[in-house]
Amino acid sequence: DTGVSQDPRHKITKRGQNVTFRCDPISEHNRLYWYRQTLGQGPEFLTYFQNEAQLEKSRLLSDRFSAERPKGSFSTLEIQRTEQGDSAMYLCASRTGTGGTETQYFGPGTRLLVL
Amino acid sequence: AQSVTQLGSHVSVSEGALVLLRCNYSSSVPPYLFWYVQYPNQRLQLLLKYTSAATLVKGINGFEAEFKKSETSFHLTKPSAHMSDAAEYFCAVSASNSGGYQKVTFGTGTKLQVIP
């Protein structure tokens, strides 16, 4: 499968714990996005990487959230001191190109439940 | 700033009937527009996109959408619904932000139910 992959697919954690998610984009894609999706909502932008550089972060991304993309390959999203409000589906997408017309390819998502 | 409004979180149509899913956008710069679809237990995938080449855009599975600048709309249509069209559909707008990169904003989605 050469599509975008995410790991784990599901995560249940207790409030206050730290969690880390991984995204492996399509290999030739230089741009990588993280989104959060809650029930009844569309994907909400969290952050964006061009190669290894994190170029934009949403105001949704509090200090408890951090994302990295070392060497411009896979990316990780870490949530520290999780809260119940962090429960959501976390989506990763990647694309190539420099313009705005290229398609984003989505991963299957990581569903997080904070108890 | 940019935004997308999808009218109707749930739409039901009979099999064989016209499908019309509405999307209105707001953008301070010329936008690119997308429709994504999420079938049950599957990942989001592109249905079609408007990139300023032609205002009527054809996508997969018989869907099409028309970009109407005067109405700031990008409604999705299909002449005859099929049971397999049951899914959630998301409209999205992409435009350059102040940082010079293309930010994508999604609507809240419309769940399409097809009644046999």
Side-chain angles (χ1 to χ4, degrees), chain B residues 98-116:
Chain B
S98 57
Y101 90 92
Q102 295 286 335
K103 180 179 178 181
V104 180
T105 301
F106 285 82
T108 52
T110 297
K111 282 190 178 176
L112 177 65
Q113 180 185 23
V114 182
I115 303 167

Side-chain angles (χ1 to χ4, degrees), chain B residues 3-71:
Chain B
S3 65
V4 173
T5 301
Q6 291 186 242
L7 292 176
S9 57
H10 292 80
V11 170
S12 293
V13 299
S14 298
E15 191 174 17
L18 171 72
V19 176
L20 171 60
L21 304 183
R22 298 178 186 275
C23 173
N24 288 87
Y25 71 91
S26 171
S27 176
S28 57
V29 297
Y32 301 118
L33 295 159
F34 304 80
W35 276 99
Y36 282 84
V37 60
Q38 188 166 29
Y39 298 104
N41 299 316
Q42 293 189 28
R43 63 186 69 189
L44 273 163
Q45 59 181 284
L46 182 72
L47 195 59
L48 51 80
K49 62 183 177 182
Y50 165 74
T51 61
S52 75
T55 56
L56 183 63
V57 181
K58 296 186 184 298
I60 61 173
N61 300 333
F63 283 92
E64 62 182 37
E66 186 172 8
F67 172 68
K68 292 187 177 181
K69 184 178 179 180
S70 61
E71 299 177 8

Side-chain angles (χ1 to χ4, degrees), chain A residues 4 35 37 40-43 45 48 56 100-101 103-104 106-108, chain B residues 32 34 36 43-44 46 49 51 90 94 97 101-102 104 106-108:
Chain A
V4 178
Y35 294 89
Q37 186 176 18
Q41 299 295 320
F45 170 79
Y48 158 70
E56 184 92 3
T101 62
T103 302
Q104 289 193 26
F106 282 83
Chain B
Y32 301 118
F34 304 80
Y36 282 84
R43 63 186 69 189
L44 273 163
L46 182 72
K49 62 183 177 182
T51 61
F90 294 92
S94 171
N97 70 354
Y101 90 92
Q102 295 286 335
V104 180
F106 285 82
T108 52

